[in-house]
Amino acid sequence: MCGIVGYTGPREAYPIIIKGLKRLEYRGYDSTGVALQNGGIKVYKKKGKVAELEDTIVGKNLHANVGIGHTRWATHGEPSDRNAHPHQSASGKLAMIHNGIIENYSQLKNELLKKGYTFKSDTDTEVLLNFIEEIKTNNNCSLEEAVRVALKRVTGAYVILLLDAEEPETIIAARKGSPLVIGVGKGEHFLGSDASPMLEYTKEVVYVNDYELAIIKPDELILKNLGNEKITPYIQKLDLELAAIEKGGYEHFMLKEIFEQPQTIYDCLRGRLDAEAGTITMSGIEQYANQIKNARRIVMIACGTSWHAGLVAEYVIEELCRLNVEVEYASEFRYRNPVIDEGDIIVAISQSGETADTLVAIETAKSKGAIILGVVNVVGSSIARASHGGAYTHAGPEIGVASTKAFTAQLAVLTMIALKIANIKGTISHERYMLLLKELNEVPEKVAWVLKNADKVKKLAEKYKDADDFLYLARGYNFPVALEGALKLKEISYIHAEGYPAAEMKHGPIALVDETLPVVFIATKDAYHEKVVSNMQEIKARKGKVISVITEGDDLSTSLSDDVMIIPEADEIVAPIISVVPLQLLAYYIGVARGCDVDKPRNLAKSVTVE
Ligand code: G6P
């Protein structure tokens, strides 16, 4: 979390930095700040979003060709002007921005306090900055050298960018555990937490690795390890267009991303799934075919919405491949002493590819001999690079903080992986295999069908927007969809919502049911349908409001529901990719109806690079 931007070159730095920060606000928006090299270092910072900083510094002399900027998701110290980045060192000659957490900051702070330092903020960042300055002054060395020495003492995660008033053209950057991309232009360099701030200027980028330090000048990029040895920067070509990160006429990114799903699911299947030939081509999976075939089990590791995708995959893989699957919260997995044997297959699922807990969890599993397959959206991200193989989800940049199109793309990839393994293991009949390929192929058009009825969901949102609580119930493949529906609503409307397996309702949640409680059933036609219908009856009998996601033509469920959201008929294996879409819309429209900032919900960030 936290977004960082930097620029050094002949252009005006401030507009590049501000525009870049706006694109990175998905990473946090508690405060914003910039530091500019303008006859000494000038820092402007403020609590709140980027636009608020812009408003307050109108009319200031912002001319500079070198600068850094930060959008914050608070960890150490409340969101406030004084805790906003950039921080300045005691002498005022250094400025620094930071994404991550310095875990041993209190120890470093105590050392500095004994030496007479005082601090203006509550942040770990200001501590590290002064620690660097102390080394620079004591050793009478360059900033680069001081950073290298300081980082050897630091535990935690970081990307840091530093300016030094004495070297006004240079930005020093270093990374461990948080992302850093450097854009290489002609006589200029751009820095960002991802490539979005530099898209219109260059397509050539360098992804900085952990324990690397960069010295960046307009016409020079030097990469070194912490042992001061030079590393040749590996320049990659970006395959990303500007339009992909803009709203394209939609009111919010979230709505745009919901509506993009027919295309993104299609993009995810394209070139891989051939329903007529009966083939699924996934080279990053195929190369581990033997190991997967002989594996004792698969462990899925993820957080948030990606964890829900893992739960759907558990049902699908166990059914189709007769292979044991466990789904783990990365944050729990990494701090236990998990039993992982050589040859276990780990599937790491992540939209951003930067989630700190997932990243550490896969490193833990790797060290025990597991094979890591990444199901990741952001190309070149840390998790993608840390994985042995896997498959990208190709959903394109997801900017809305609440995940939508990344989730359905994850389900599409995981279903293809399941079908591939089932085929390799011979646990699926040819007829069923061919039918499911066809079903998967038809998902994009079925999702498009659901989206045509978005206005009906909008009306439902108006009707239920004032509820205090929601319950989401389902069974089987749709149970994780209930969890996801509830999470979406919580995230963007701040309404309390819980997802439960429908049968578990009678073990507690049913006590909540009265005439004010909306209960959302995902009751599509599948093997569990009759049971779910019985659960609906139980809610109706207690006067709860029943809102159901049903299959077209299901009159029984319609008669039991106060309101319905309809999806076309689909095999139960692929149904979750479709049934989640009305729930995304419901959450979105309720969030908007309640006046919430749906793209940037309070307290959340899209990329959680702290533990
Ligand atoms: C954050 C985001 C969620 C996301 C989760 C996991 O909480 O707000 O939308 O599901 O992180 O992120 P990942 O990038 O690993 O999928």
Side-chain angles (χ1 to χ4, degrees), residues 302-307 349-355 358 383 398 400-403 410 487-488 491 604-608:
C303 302
T305 289
S306 299
W307 185 78
I349 311 166
S350 175
Q351 187 287 125
S352 62
E354 300 295 346
T355 303
T358 310
I383 294 173
E398 193 180 63
V401 164
S403 186
Q410 286 166 345
L487 177 65
K488 284 292 85 88
E491 281 180 307
L604 296 180
K606 183 141 196 76
S607 182
V608 183

Side-chain angles (χ1 to χ4, degrees), residues 160-232:
I160 51 172
L161 302 191
L162 288 114
L163 296 182
D164 183 348
E166 286 166 8
E167 291 179 63
E169 287 207 317
T170 308
I171 300 173
I172 304 282
R175 121 161 219 178
K176 185 202 151 205
S178 300
L180 174 60
V181 185
I182 301 177
V184 183
K186 287 197 177 61
E188 58 184 348
H189 286 102
F190 305 82
L191 295 97
S193 298
D194 67 27
S196 63
M198 56 202 77
L199 272 185
E200 56 265 70
Y201 310 107
T202 180
K203 288 274 187 289
E204 302 207 321
V205 295
V206 174
Y207 292 97
V208 178
N209 291 310
D210 280 351
Y211 304 107
E212 287 179 359
L213 188 143
I215 303 113
I216 307 132
K217 298 181 181 174
D219 46 14
E220 191 177 35
L221 165 61
I222 301 173
L223 214 54
K224 291 184 176 178
N225 62 22
L226 293 187
N228 201 20
E229 292 158 334
K230 280 198 181 173
I231 300 163
T232 311

Side-chain angles (χ1 to χ4, degrees), residues 251-262:
E251 200 182 335
H252 295 101
F253 280 111
M254 185 177 175
L255 190 63
K256 176 190 172 219
E257 287 156 7
I258 291 173
F259 272 83
E260 275 175 347
Q261 290 177 109

